[in-house]
Amino acid sequence: MSWLSNSQAVVLTAYHPSGNDQALGGSHGKGGEEAASSRRYGQYTMNQEVTKVTERPPFDRSGSQDSLDELCMEAYWTEIENIKKSHENRQDDQEVVVVKEPDEGELEEEWLKEAGLSNLFGEAAGDPQESMVFLSTLTRTQAAAVQKRVETVSQTLRKKNKQYQVPDVRDIFAQQTGSKEKEAPDGTESQSVGTDENKYRRKDDQASHLGVGGKDLTPLVPEEAPASETDINLEVSFAEQAVSQKESSREKIQRSKSDDAMLLTYRVPKDKTGTTRIGDLAPQDMKKVCHLALIELTALYDVLGIELKQQKAVKIKTKDSGLFCVPLTVLLEQDQKKVPGTRIPLIFQKLISRIEEGGLETEGLLRIPGAAVRIKNLCQELEAKFYEGTFNWESVKQHDAASLLKLFIRELPQPLLSVEYLKAFQAVQNLPTRTQQLQALNLLVILLPHANRDTLKALLEFLQRVVDNKEKNKMTVVNVAMVMAPNLFMYHTLGLKSGEQREFVMAAGIANIMHLLIKYQKLLWTIPKFIVNQVRKQNTENHRKDKKAMKKLLKKMAYDREKYEKQDKSANDADVPQGVIRVQAPHLSKVSMAIQLTEELKASDVLARFLSQESGVAQTLKNGEVFLYEIGGNIGERCLDDDTYMKDLYQLNPSAEWVIKSKPS
């Protein structure tokens, strides 16, 4: 990831898309009088020069740009105008988010902390052994990304004449070079990663492009276009795939613009050891996944030469109660007092429920706005009566509920896609292929804070239900993406000095990202297998390290070392013959069962055997209240999907225990 090195404070304020409305706090023309009646509606803008913007940028279309015609973008610009009208009828004070872009080296230092590598610098730098296990599991591109940031931090610390020792980068990575050329974390040879990847790379993976202002732009595919499905490679590091693809592309002629790559659709590949989704892993393993996802995203963007500018909110003036303009974490704290364990704001859930009560077949759903004045009054009523339970939901028309839902998203003090990663989401449009765009989005979804990710998932699932009724409501995935993109991405570039061509590129770009988020949410909530394998390797190395320390301690305490090793070896094999696993189900009537492993035995078969012996609760349990878990060995805890082949997983983790239990809320 490329990080900014200049120091400046940036104030994120509201953008008003007409020439008369200006960013709050500015001293332009009539700004003072208009600012007094202005209301932030989610358009965060950098503290840069603002200029007047035309209502809609006219666009000179060439023949090569016909697939992204003005009709396709009409819903987008209409939504921008609806947002402006909604804003003009909101009178509350504006919340201000101050974002600091740190001095040279500070972003890299922050990055290393978020990647779990803070002990590679600073006062803990003298003993970096804790990170050595972690570093040993990294791919070449991941290690290069870490090394690049460590070098920057080291140089900065030397300039500042810090008193503590600054480690030499060569020392930190010296132990890794020998093993890297032999074996990658997933057991494949790193040098031959391109060979394994070839079965996934299609000759038409390079997306067709639109040339806009000298910049290529990936178009949206017409909804009616025929499509063929292909698996997306989750077994090999995304950055390693990008390196391999770049090397092979040097020998190939650039594909023509008439390429039909965009007719491909992607699916999650079948994995005999089971697909791992966000929420399936124990917290300690998920933390490792997030560290690896950040490093992998950085490595991918480094390989592709895409600049990433991460930011951090350091000062936020927000409400500490209410519904609108309240941080997600504060809302959830309020809501959990009413409904313990809830992970999605209650107002958000209720607005979606109200829309669905009106029927998802309504033509123009989400596109047609409610009356701005009525929306303003409903907001005030909701603030006063929602938690009291006295609000009259019958007074909320369906289009009003849709407008309130979009308003809720826009008025979050920090974007739903987070301050830290909003720009990274926007930068996805600059990646050269559809595959790489999906890979980056997959990693970004993993990196979102829990509250943001859960709320985003609820939103995308709702939007997919809207799309499922497209024959009647006329809202295809393209139309829904066009309407929702400006609400979710806070289209700040409209408020900056930029040409009309750039505005069109950005509009189409973020609409395309929104399209991908809706269409591929199942894929995006999947944890790539290569990252899970890296976590397994880390756990294995940590267990080995802990076991050595334990043996040393036992020897000092004069225990029988041979007896300990014998007990340790037989702990998981007691009373279980070869090729048989013992499954525990402490909450069912049959609390334990020995099950013979076969080539075709799946996790769903194991569950079925237990549930078939249940009586009254059996039907309820079959509806998905209990799951089979893999616990221990080289993983902390993992919920298995129904199509997991047990023999294959047993071979991957022979020391695991197998437990049937409910999933934590």
Side-chain angles (χ1 to χ4, degrees):
M1 210 178 283
S2 299
W3 306 98
L4 289 180
S5 59
N6 58 317
S7 176
Q8 56 179 325
V10 180
V11 179
L12 297 180
T13 58
Y15 165 66
H16 312 282
S18 76
N20 294 326
D21 294 323
Q22 313 226 356
L24 290 178
S27 57
H28 305 278
K30 303 176 183 178
E33 182 177 326
E34 291 172 355
S37 63
S38 293
R39 169 69 186 144
R40 183 188 64 79
Y41 57 94
Q43 308 299 334
Y44 294 89
T45 56
M46 293 305 178
N47 191 17
Q48 302 179 35
E49 187 172 358
V50 181
T51 186
K52 290 186 177 182
V53 183
T54 56
E55 288 186 1
R56 183 178 307 167
F59 191 65
D60 183 18
R61 307 187 53 76
S62 66
S64 66
Q65 296 157 355
D66 289 339
S67 63
L68 194 61
D69 55 38
E70 218 168 291
L71 286 176
C72 189
M73 295 299 297
E74 183 70 24
Y76 185 96
W77 302 117
T78 301
E79 184 67 15
I80 291 290
E81 293 302 314
N82 291 336
I83 291 173
K84 174 189 169 185
K85 292 174 183 176
S86 171
H87 150 74
E88 289 171 347
N89 283 277
R90 297 284 282 158
Q91 302 293 329
D92 305 295
D93 294 331
Q94 179 191 18
E95 283 75 38
V96 177
V97 179
V98 178
V99 176
K100 183 176 183 292
E101 293 178 354
D103 294 332
E104 180 182 1
E106 287 184 1
L107 271 177
E108 288 80 0
E109 190 171 319
E110 184 66 27
W111 184 91
L112 287 167
K113 289 179 182 177
E114 292 185 19
L117 295 168
S118 58
N119 55 1
L120 292 184
F121 63 92
E123 296 178 358
D127 183 23
Q129 293 302 316
E130 186 179 336
S131 294
M132 286 303 143
V133 168
F134 182 83
L135 292 172
S136 71
T137 68
L138 300 184
T139 64
R140 292 171 299 174
T141 48
Q142 289 174 347
V146 173
Q147 185 168 352
K148 181 178 178 181
R149 274 83 201 166
V150 172
E151 286 174 347
T152 302
V153 172
S154 299
Q155 291 169 4
T156 303
L157 292 178
R158 288 191 181 97
K159 287 179 184 178
K160 293 180 178 179
N161 297 318
K162 296 290 183 182
Q163 296 301 312
Y164 46 76
Q165 179 186 359
V166 178
D168 192 300
V169 174
R170 292 168 295 182
D171 295 336
I172 295 174
F173 287 89
Q175 300 180 25
Q176 318 308 325
T177 54
S179 61
K180 281 293 167 220
E181 297 184 3
K182 294 180 181 179
E183 188 176 10
D186 57 0
T188 60
E189 290 187 0
S190 294
Q191 299 293 345
S192 62
V193 73
T195 304
D196 187 50
E197 179 208 343
N198 284 337
K199 65 179 180 179
Y200 293 97
R201 188 191 306 131
R202 300 292 186 265
K203 62 182 180 179
D204 53 359
D205 182 59
Q206 185 69 31
S208 57
H209 295 287
L210 299 176
V212 181
K215 172 183 171 65
D216 280 350
L217 173 66
T218 304
L220 291 166
V221 189
E223 190 69 18
E224 298 76 17
S228 59
E229 283 194 326
T230 184
D231 288 346
I232 191 165
N233 187 353
L234 300 178
E235 296 186 10
V236 178
S237 158
F238 299 155
E240 294 290 340
Q241 291 181 49
V243 169
S244 178
Q245 191 170 17
K246 284 180 70 175
E247 290 172 352
S248 64
S249 65
R250 291 175 190 150
E251 305 170 4
K252 296 179 181 179
I253 301 174
Q254 180 71 27
R255 300 280 298 176
S256 69
K257 291 181 181 179
S258 61
D259 197 329
D260 61 347
M262 299 306 293
L263 301 183
L264 282 176
T265 61
Y266 297 86
R267 66 187 172 218
V268 179
K270 296 292 184 182
D271 180 2
K272 283 201 161 188
T273 60
T275 301
T276 306
R277 306 199 184 281
I278 293 173
D280 285 348
L281 295 178
Q284 66 268 29
D285 282 341
M286 193 60 199
K287 186 176 181 180
K288 294 170 187 173
V289 167
C290 290
H291 291 162
L292 289 164
L294 176 58
I295 295 172
E296 179 65 19
L297 178 71
T298 306
L300 177 62
Y301 276 61
D302 281 354
V303 168
L304 297 174
I306 304 296
E307 185 179 37
L308 270 178
K309 300 176 182 178
Q310 192 184 40
Q311 297 172 315
K312 206 163 189 71
V314 295
K315 181 182 178 182
I316 311 172
K317 177 189 173 184
T318 58
K319 295 162 60 177
D320 56 7
S321 64
L323 297 175
F324 296 89
C325 314
V326 179
L328 278 176
T329 51
V330 174
L331 266 176
L332 287 172
E333 285 176 11
Q334 291 178 173
D335 293 349
Q336 285 166 0
K337 294 174 183 176
K338 301 279 185 180
V339 182
T342 188
R343 296 165 60 181
I344 300 161
L346 296 179
I347 182 62
F348 192 85
Q349 295 182 49
K350 184 58 183 177
L351 288 171
I352 288 177
S353 175
R354 183 60 184 163
I355 296 170
E356 293 186 321
E357 285 172 9
L360 296 180
E361 300 85 5
T362 305
E363 186 169 342
L365 188 61
L366 297 176
R367 177 176 55 81
I368 299 174
V373 174
R374 192 166 63 242
I375 297 301
K376 173 189 170 183
N377 293 333
L378 286 171
C379 283
Q380 293 173 348
E381 278 194 66
L382 279 166
E383 293 280 9
K385 300 178 180 179
F386 178 75
Y387 285 116
E388 293 179 1
T390 58
F391 181 78
N392 179 20
W393 283 99
E394 296 300 320
S395 67
V396 182
K397 299 179 180 179
Q398 189 179 37
H399 292 306
D400 293 344
S403 293
L404 286 167
L405 180 69
K406 292 185 287 185
L407 182 68
F408 173 87
I409 296 168
R410 293 196 305 271
E411 293 202 340
L412 286 170
Q414 294 189 43
L416 187 58
L417 299 178
S418 81
V419 168
E420 291 83 358
Y421 296 110
L422 178 61
K423 283 193 171 183
F425 273 97
Q426 292 170 334
V428 167
Q429 64 186 294
N430 299 322
L431 302 184
T433 70
R434 174 60 57 89
T435 298
Q436 288 162 349
Q437 290 174 351
L438 288 171
Q439 290 170 340
L441 286 174
N442 184 196
L443 297 169
L444 284 165
V445 166
I446 291 172
L447 287 168
L448 284 175
H450 294 294
N452 298 60
R453 189 170 60 221
D454 292 340
T455 305
L456 177 63
K457 189 171 191 293
L459 174 66
L460 295 177
E461 288 173 346
F462 163 67
L463 296 180
Q464 184 58 57
R465 294 195 293 273
V466 173
V467 173
D468 290 342
N469 289 272
K470 63 187 176 185
E471 297 299 329
K472 293 185 178 179
N473 62 30
K474 311 301 181 187
M475 295 299 290
T476 66
V477 66
V478 173
N479 293 338
V480 172
M482 290 292 177
V483 169
M484 294 304 299
N487 293 282
L488 202 66
F489 283 87
M490 293 158 293
Y491 194 41
H492 67 271
T493 52
L494 279 174
L496 307 181
K497 261 190 176 178
S498 59
E500 294 163 354
Q501 299 276 359
R502 180 185 173 190
E503 291 175 11
F504 186 89
V505 169
M506 286 297 295
I510 64 172
N512 178 61
I513 298 167
M514 191 73 229
H515 181 186
L516 296 180
L517 286 170
I518 298 169
K519 185 173 182 179
Y520 291 105
Q521 51 190 283
K522 183 178 179 181
L523 187 157
L524 299 180
W525 261 258
T526 300
I527 301 176
K529 183 177 180 179
F530 74 89
I531 288 182
V532 177
N533 285 346
Q534 286 180 292
V535 171
R536 290 184 185 276
K537 185 171 182 180
Q538 285 181 38
N539 291 337
T540 300
E541 294 300 320
N542 284 328
H543 291 333
R544 186 178 293 123
K545 183 179 176 183
D546 292 342
K547 190 176 289 187
K548 285 181 180 179
M550 179 62 72
K551 287 179 179 179
K552 188 175 181 180
L553 177 63
L554 291 174
K555 188 175 182 181
K556 285 182 178 180
M557 297 175 66
Y559 274 88
D560 187 346
R561 182 178 176 184
E562 184 179 346
K563 181 180 179 182
Y564 167 77
E565 290 178 342
K566 189 175 181 181
Q567 289 176 344
D568 181 63
K569 183 178 180 181
S570 62
N572 290 308
D573 299 328
D575 303 323
V576 181
Q578 187 70 22
V580 175
I581 59 172
R582 181 162 294 281
V583 180
Q584 308 292 334
H587 302 297
L588 300 182
S589 55
K590 182 77 172 177
V591 297
S592 178
M593 187 185 298
I595 295 182
Q596 178 71 46
L597 293 173
T598 65
E599 296 292 338
E600 302 302 319
L601 181 71
K602 295 183 180 181
S604 58
D605 300 325
V606 175
L607 279 171
R609 292 190 192 182
F610 274 87
L611 296 178
S612 65
Q613 301 191 28
E614 296 299 305
S615 54
V617 296
Q619 190 60 46
T620 303
L621 294 173
K622 286 180 182 178
N623 290 336
E625 290 194 2
V626 292
F627 303 86
L628 179 59
Y629 278 78
E630 166 196 9
I631 299 176
N634 56 33
I635 204 77
E637 181 175 294
R638 175 171 169 254
C639 182
L640 304 184
D641 79 80
D642 287 345
D643 291 328
T644 302
Y645 285 83
M646 297 305 298
K647 187 172 182 179
D648 293 87
L649 181 57
Y650 173 77
Q651 291 169 349
L652 178 64
N653 191 7
S655 300
E657 296 180 1
W658 314 96
V659 179
I660 294 175
K661 62 176 186 173
S662 59
K663 208 168 188 178
S665 57

